[in-house]
Amino acid sequence: MMNIVLLEPEMPANTGNIGRTCVATGSRLHLIEPLGFKINEKSLKRAGLDYWDSLDVTVYDNYPDFLERNPEARKRIYMATTKGLNVYTEVSYEPDAYIMFGKESAGIPEEILVEHRDTAIRIPMIGDIRSLNLANSVAVVLYEALRQNGFSHMRTQGKLHRLEWF
């Protein structure tokens, strides 16, 4: 099971969309406070639709609390950042990897990034674009990690309801 970690997310709609992605992929969501919203906000649940109740989500007081309660994360955490030295497709994700994303306005603090230099990953972009939308970034990196692990436990073929494929 993959683990998505959001450090101090600010926008409820992004977090709701990420929650929905986590439910669709069987991933756990870790939210590290302070949050820029209340966990019961309508906009959060609206973005997550009716999937929010099925979400495996844990909220932590701060980053040290997250590490204390998830000691295995220290060995399997990837830091998604525009400051990363590795392209997100160039690393090998363990089946139970932790992928951390920073808050929308500032990303992951450099004090944390320097501790994870080898696992700081980046989504390539052109020019001086500051970053992609947080929910989009999570989807891009998470699906690469899932692809590398063979989409384990996921349905990989669809089915037509009224017609048959040729």
Side-chain angles (χ1 to χ4, degrees):
M1 172 185 305
M2 292 290 169
N3 294 276
I4 297 300
V5 182
L6 302 182
L7 178 66
E8 303 176 6
E10 299 166 317
M11 299 179 181
N14 279 336
T15 302
N17 283 316
I18 292 164
R20 182 177 180 177
T21 299
C22 286
V23 171
T25 60
S27 301
R28 292 181 65 206
L29 179 59
H30 304 264
L31 301 176
I32 301 174
E33 294 185 325
L35 309 179
F37 50 86
K38 301 251 186 272
I39 203 79
N40 60 357
E41 256 184 57
K42 279 185 182 181
S43 55
L44 175 74
K45 296 206 175 183
R46 185 179 311 119
L49 295 174
D50 55 346
Y51 299 101
W52 194 258
D53 292 336
S54 301
L55 179 62
D56 183 354
V57 60
T58 306
V59 180
Y60 304 89
D61 292 337
N62 49 42
Y63 183 62
D65 180 38
F66 164 76
L67 290 176
E68 182 178 316
R69 292 166 57 187
N70 298 279
E72 68 282 3
R74 293 179 191 272
K75 298 175 190 164
R76 296 188 303 272
I77 195 161
Y78 298 86
M79 302 285 172
T81 173
T82 58
K83 299 172 178 101
L85 299 177
N86 304 296
V87 173
Y88 75 101
T89 56
E90 295 174 343
V91 299
S92 296
Y93 302 93
E94 299 84 354
D96 54 354
Y98 290 78
I99 308 169
M100 189 163 107
F101 298 81
K103 63 182 167 184
E104 291 91 338
S105 65
I108 300 170
E110 288 189 5
E111 307 82 62
I112 294 174
L113 291 176
V114 297
E115 297 174 14
H116 301 280
R117 177 184 175 101
D118 294 337
T119 58
I121 56 173
R122 173 184 175 78
I123 299 171
M125 295 175 283
I126 61 171
D128 292 329
I129 299 298
R130 189 178 51 200
S131 66
L132 296 176
N133 170 274
L134 179 60
N136 293 338
S137 296
V138 169
V140 166
V141 177
L142 175 58
Y143 269 89
E144 171 60 16
L146 293 167
R147 184 196 66 78
Q148 286 185 17
N149 285 279
F151 296 111
S152 178
H153 300 86
M154 296 177 75
R155 186 173 15 169
T156 58
Q157 292 185 344
K159 179 180 173 185
L160 295 173
H161 294 285
R162 296 188 181 153
L163 301 173
E164 293 296 321
W165 291 107
F166 293 66

